[in-house]
Amino acid sequence: MAEAAVKKSPGRGRFITFEGGEGSGKSTQIKTLAERLGAAKLRAIVTREPGGSPGAEIIRHLVLSGMGKLLGPDAETLLFAAARDDHVRTVIEPALNQGIWVLCDRFSDSTRVYQGRLGKVAPEFLNAMERVTIGDLKPDLTIILDVPVEVGMQRAAARRGTRAPDRFEAEDIRFHQDLRDAYRQIAAAEPERCVLIDANADAGTVAANVWAALRDRLFAAGSNVVSA
Ligand code: TMP
């Protein structure tokens, strides 16, 4: 019954990606949204990039260890692309085709921002990688969680505890500021797909705003899913 309340092609799942800098609260918000969709009787899976499939998780380990950085920005981009190719083919597409909603922690915007804007990888190279790995697959909705850099970095440090920072957490404050600017630019350039949400608020407020974005963009008017 919930399927009928979804805008357009009710048989196919919806693809929702979450993006943002370090410590923006993506994991918490994805978990909350998955619970809420479950309560609304919509089947949903939570996945992430890099990773989300056995092969891609091996690549995740490689890039976050800093190994990819040693190879240079283009080769590091190829590693992210290889991970995405496997993840899309074995997890995301099959789920969407079965009517399952896919909530993905990071996707191709991360490549645009981290490798493109910050790693200075050429747009033509990124376009070619996208054609190969995702083809026509585009998120139905991208939630960009926006948080001041100092706040995000403090949150990430608190979450990490005694663990050493990973490849990207270890970058300096300037890098993280550029990251934030790049995400804000994507949100401004693609308002049909992206919603920028202030993630400096408490988790409950952010979750309410995430749900409002789904209500406005993905559910049909008058749907009873909305109040679930
Ligand atoms: P996270 O899952 O903790 O956010 O860590 C993933 C890291 O990988 C994060 O710092 C962003 C980075 N990343 C890229 O640089 N390019 C990509 O395409 C993706 C998906 C992630």
Side-chain angles (χ1 to χ4, degrees), residues 155-167:
R155 285 184 189 166
R159 183 186 58 198
R160 206 162 56 231
T162 54
R163 176 178 66 77
D166 71 28
R167 148 87 176 92

Side-chain angles (χ1 to χ4, degrees), residues 10 13-14 50 156:
R14 291 293 179 270

Side-chain angles (χ1 to χ4, degrees), residues 208-226:
N209 289 332
V210 169
W211 189 249
L214 265 79
R215 183 190 59 212
D216 296 346
R217 310 288 182 110
L218 303 182
F219 296 130
S223 150
N224 58 3
V225 174
V226 175

Side-chain angles (χ1 to χ4, degrees), residues 3 10 14 16 25 31 33 39 103 146 149 167 188 199 218:
E3 291 282 334
R14 291 293 179 270
I16 304 175
K31 189 166 168 281
L33 179 59
L103 311 185
D146 180 57
V149 170
R167 148 87 176 92
L218 303 182

Side-chain angles (χ1 to χ4, degrees), residues 189-202:
E190 292 186 67
E192 311 251 292
R193 173 174 69 88
C194 302
V195 178
L196 187 78
I197 291 182
D198 175 10
N200 200 17
D202 64 277

